[in-house]
Amino acid sequence: CIGFWRSEYGVSYGYGGAMLAAALLVLPAATNALEAAHALALALYGLRLSLFLLGREVFIPRFRKFRDRIEQRAVQRGGRLKRAPFVLGCSALYACMASPLLLTATAGLSGTAATVSITAMYAGLILAAFGDFVKTWVKADKGESHLVTSGPFALLRHPNYTGEALLWTANVVTAALAGGILGSWERGGLFGASLVGLAGILFVLAQAATGLEKRQYEKYGSTEEYQKWVKHTWPGLTLPSAK
């Protein structure tokens, strides 16, 4: 619903808030440490993302201008009710992304594979958070036009997107390990929704990484620093048309 207030908030605070709320609702139902760890990973993800976005909006003027430009375009398209398809589409995607929580809650999740999968979720969470922190810190210190190549960017060109891709993939793997997805229409439907959510967010992340690849190439492509950097780093998940 926050997308009806400001269009950009539907894919920023709405995204983080939805994950935080869904995880907190499911967390009390956990019957063991692994199930709790799974829900907690998504709760921490939502909380971290929302706080990061808030800090960025409050302290970095260009993000407020970006927010306002999006809102102006949304207003030009008509009244707030015309945002309903966008808001409902985002809501459906977030519900699908949170579906694995309903599969793991009270499932008696156990075993080495589930432990590894949930550990991968935390690894993705930490990588995304560290990538955001390093990029924000370096650009605050050296200027918005500076090409960030330090920290995780020495190996990954888009560690925040790569970390998210790892987290969401491991989230669905964890749901599969909960078992019973073929045992009932309800669990099978939830797993199907989980796959739809994974496909949706991976497409969004790939699209974002592809767009950033293009902008970086246009801005830094002629520099020696950029050319050396791209030879020794991985862009992560991108669309085939990326350049």
Side-chain angles (χ1 to χ4, degrees), residues 18-229:
M19 295 304 109
L20 175 60
L24 290 180
L25 286 171
V26 172
L27 184 59
T31 59
N32 62 33
L34 281 180
E35 292 168 7
H38 180 215
L40 186 60
L42 293 191
L44 290 173
Y45 170 81
L47 178 62
R48 196 286 305 181
L49 178 62
S50 297
L51 291 176
F52 170 73
L53 293 169
L54 178 62
R56 194 173 68 172
E57 183 176 356
V58 170
F59 295 108
I60 304 178
R62 73 181 178 92
F63 286 105
R64 293 196 295 274
K65 294 178 181 178
F66 174 73
R67 174 204 65 194
D68 292 340
R69 285 197 302 269
I70 292 176
E71 186 62 20
Q72 287 173 1
R73 289 197 294 267
V75 169
Q76 290 170 358
R77 288 194 290 269
R80 296 185 186 277
L81 285 179
K82 290 190 175 181
R83 304 179 189 185
F86 166 74
V87 172
L88 292 174
C90 289
S91 299
L93 175 61
Y94 303 155
C96 289
M97 292 168 64
S99 292
L101 291 170
L102 298 177
L103 288 168
T104 60
T106 71
L109 194 64
S110 63
T112 301
T115 301
V116 171
S117 180
I118 292 173
T119 300
M121 289 182 66
Y122 281 90
L125 170 63
I126 292 170
L127 176 60
F130 188 46
D132 281 338
F133 172 78
V134 170
K135 189 170 187 176
T136 301
W137 181 273
V138 172
K139 284 187 174 291
D141 182 51
K142 298 186 177 181
E144 288 294 333
S145 63
H146 183 78
L147 177 64
V148 182
T149 60
S150 56
F153 293 89
L155 297 174
L156 302 169
R157 293 211 285 281
H158 316 295
N160 49 343
Y161 298 145
T162 302
E164 282 207 37
L166 174 59
L167 180 146
W168 292 117
T169 300
N171 181 47
V172 173
V173 171
T174 302
L177 293 171
I181 57 177
L182 299 178
S184 70
W185 285 106
E186 180 183 3
R187 292 185 68 80
L190 285 171
F191 188 69
S194 300
L195 292 175
V196 170
L198 177 61
I201 190 59
L202 290 182
F203 176 78
V204 170
L205 293 171
Q207 190 175 48
T210 300
L212 188 52
E213 283 279 291
K214 181 180 179 181
R215 293 193 298 273
Q216 288 179 334
Y217 179 78
E218 292 172 348
K219 189 171 185 177
Y220 309 109
S222 61
T223 66
E224 184 178 356
E225 179 187 20
Y226 174 85
Q227 293 168 7
K228 288 183 178 180
W229 181 57

